[in-house]
Amino acid sequence: MRWDIVGRFLKPRDLHVFMTVVEENSMAKAAERLAISRPVISRTTPISSTCSE
């Protein structure tokens, strides 16, 4: 991964969503906490396929 270009694509909202998923250890719980749908979490979190619920 080219870390020099990550900041160009990462938005503060994306980081907030990602951190909430990490804190909750669940995409479903993070979606509930953020009051957004789970598909939004999946689209926002690039490594969503590595999360287990």
Side-chain angles (χ1 to χ4, degrees):
M1 175 176 281
R2 293 202 41 210
W3 292 104
D4 58 325
I5 62 171
V6 169
R8 296 181 195 170
F9 303 107
L10 186 64
K11 298 176 183 147
R13 177 181 178 268
D14 299 339
L15 183 58
H16 178 67
V17 169
F18 176 72
M19 290 303 299
T20 305
V21 170
V22 170
E23 289 172 0
E24 294 292 337
N25 200 29
S26 165
M27 290 182 3
K29 289 179 184 176
E32 183 177 331
R33 179 172 153 189
L34 294 170
I36 58 178
S37 68
R38 189 163 178 258
V40 171
I41 296 279
S42 297
R43 285 191 302 269
T44 305
T45 333
I47 60 168
S48 61
S49 60
T50 63
C51 293
S52 59
E53 297 198 83

